[in-house]
Amino acid sequence: MKLSIVATLYKSAPYVNEFYARSSAVAKQLAGDDFEIILVNDGSPDDSLDIARSLSDYDPHVVVVDLSRNFGHHKAMMTGLAHTKGELTFLIDSDLEEEPEWLMNFEIQLKKQKCDVVYGVQKRRKGNWYERWSGKIFYSFFKAFTGLPLPENLVTARLMTRRYVDALLLHREREILIAGLWYLTGFEQHPYLVSKHSTSETTYTLGKKLSIVVKSVTSFSSLPLVIIFYVGCCVSLMAAGYMIYIVASWFVFARPLVGWASIIASIWLLGGTTILFLGVIGIYLSKIFSETKQRPYTIVRQVYGRKKL
């Protein structure tokens, strides 16, 4: 098969039919009749699944992968990629904020530069000031703590070769940050500047964004643990120096020990720091706990429309 198009569905009912029509049109231009459109239902609470199933009944190019519940956008994307058969795979969101027609330009650049991936990067991050600044802060934190030069303002849309997709699927993490895996997989990757539309409100709340920051840092870096070690060393050195000062004050200058307030403040500071550090260690332990259980990161309830063309 020449081409696979993969998209996830979550509250996507208003967009599915148009997405299918536009994706089918561009796929036929590129691959003729040799393509598939894989729609992954990530436990959508609306009738996205019913609409997608009707499309699979009507068009044998459409494959619907129905997950048993909502597992999250990144895990659903990886599940969709695992079901692809195409020599080229075009991953894109189904809400039409990203244009299916980008596929043609991506394919031209892929051939021209002889690379394995062409990925979309926004010329200017969409949304209001909060979305733009929260995105900038996320990328800054990610680069600072992981050292990975992740491109800023990435979009989901990317065209990938078969060997790249196969290599990407070798990652077996249970807690997935797909943008980091895209970079770690390697191969030659090139950006393509795009303008993303705004068709719906983001489902990423402040809590979800903070959770992604924590997951991304702890998944790709041990730097927080290293920071804990060095802070502990600094606190120990300061404590040792202060003890020497107290002893010198007592024996040399005969000064009485005073400073109840400073002692209490120090206890609270050290107590809070200890609890914070234990929390960081706890996050890493919870990730180890999650990985050692080896649970599947998604469960497929049923696949619809996998028919021989």
Side-chain angles (χ1 to χ4, degrees):
M1 184 170 290
K2 187 172 182 179
L3 175 67
S4 298
I5 297 178
V6 178
T8 61
L9 305 178
Y10 186 78
K11 296 183 179 180
S12 305
Y15 317 108
V16 177
N17 283 321
E18 183 179 351
F19 174 80
Y20 158 74
R22 292 170 62 179
S23 297
S24 295
V26 73
K28 288 176 182 177
Q29 290 182 45
L30 181 65
D33 198 48
D34 194 17
F35 71 93
E36 62 181 357
I37 300 175
I38 298 177
L39 303 174
V40 183
N41 177 47
D42 188 23
S44 182
D46 59 13
D47 56 349
S48 296
L49 175 61
D50 294 332
I51 297 173
R53 285 183 61 184
S54 66
L55 291 174
S56 68
D57 292 337
Y58 165 75
D59 186 350
H61 294 97
V62 179
V63 178
V64 180
V65 180
D66 182 26
L67 302 185
S68 61
R69 63 173 177 84
N70 176 254
F71 288 91
H73 188 205
H74 295 192
K75 294 179 180 180
M77 285 191 285
M78 289 290 282
T79 302
L81 293 175
H83 283 78
T84 60
K85 296 181 177 180
E87 298 171 12
L88 294 176
T89 297
F90 186 50
L91 179 65
I92 186 173
D93 284 337
S94 62
D95 57 8
L96 300 178
E97 291 190 351
E98 302 171 2
E99 300 178 13
E101 292 77 13
W102 292 348
L103 171 60
M104 300 304 295
N105 291 331
F106 281 25
E107 195 266 345
I108 291 172
Q109 182 167 329
L110 189 82
K111 284 186 174 179
K112 182 178 180 181
Q113 297 183 326
K114 297 180 180 179
C115 57
D116 287 279
V117 179
V118 173
Y119 59 89
V121 176
Q122 297 180 76
K123 298 176 183 176
R124 183 174 183 269
R125 190 176 183 87
K126 80 172 187 71
N128 55 29
W129 67 268
Y130 167 72
E131 287 191 57
R132 291 194 296 271
W133 279 100
S134 62
K136 193 171 188 65
I137 291 171
F138 166 76
Y139 284 107
S140 298
F141 264 84
F142 187 86
K143 290 179 181 179
F145 279 92
T146 66
L148 299 178
L150 196 67
E152 292 189 17
N153 300 329
L154 280 171
V155 298
T156 299
R158 55 176 36 220
L159 182 63
M160 302 165 282
T161 61
R162 182 75 257 164
R163 67 175 182 174
Y164 177 87
V165 173
D166 290 340
L168 178 63
L169 292 172
L170 293 176
H171 296 286
R172 299 299 180 187
E173 287 95 330
R174 268 50 190 170
E175 297 297 330
I176 294 173
L177 179 74
I178 199 167
L181 298 184
W182 286 338
Y183 176 81
L184 286 179
T185 302
F187 294 88
E188 189 172 351
Q189 306 186 33
H190 293 282
Y192 186 90
L193 290 178
V194 297
S195 296
K196 190 173 180 179
H197 304 290
S198 183
T199 60
S200 60
E201 293 185 5
T202 179
T203 58
Y204 286 91
T205 62
L206 178 61
K208 283 186 177 180
K209 288 184 177 182
L210 291 175
S211 176
I212 290 174
V213 171
V214 173
K215 287 181 179 178
S216 62
V217 170
T218 54
S219 294
F220 291 92
S221 174
S222 60
L223 183 59
L225 296 176
V226 176
I227 290 174
I228 288 175
F229 171 76
Y230 283 112
V231 171
C233 289
C234 291
V235 171
S236 298
L237 289 174
M238 288 189 293
Y242 189 61
M243 288 175 63
I244 294 172
Y245 168 75
I246 290 175
V247 172
S249 296
W250 181 262
F251 287 104
V252 178
F253 305 107
R255 294 177 181 173
L257 294 175
V258 295
W260 180 86
S262 62
I263 291 175
I264 294 299
S266 299
I267 291 174
W268 285 3
L269 174 62
L270 291 175
T273 303
T274 301
I275 294 172
L276 172 64
F277 288 174
L278 286 175
V280 173
I281 296 172
I283 292 172
Y284 278 94
L285 288 176
S286 70
K287 295 187 79 66
I288 295 172
F289 178 64
S290 176
E291 294 295 333
T292 55
K293 286 185 292 187
Q294 291 293 294
R295 291 175 180 170
Y297 53 78
T298 61
I299 296 174
V300 176
R301 187 192 341 246
Q302 193 167 344
V303 177
Y304 300 94
R306 180 71 80 180
K307 301 172 184 176
K308 185 176 181 181
L309 299 179

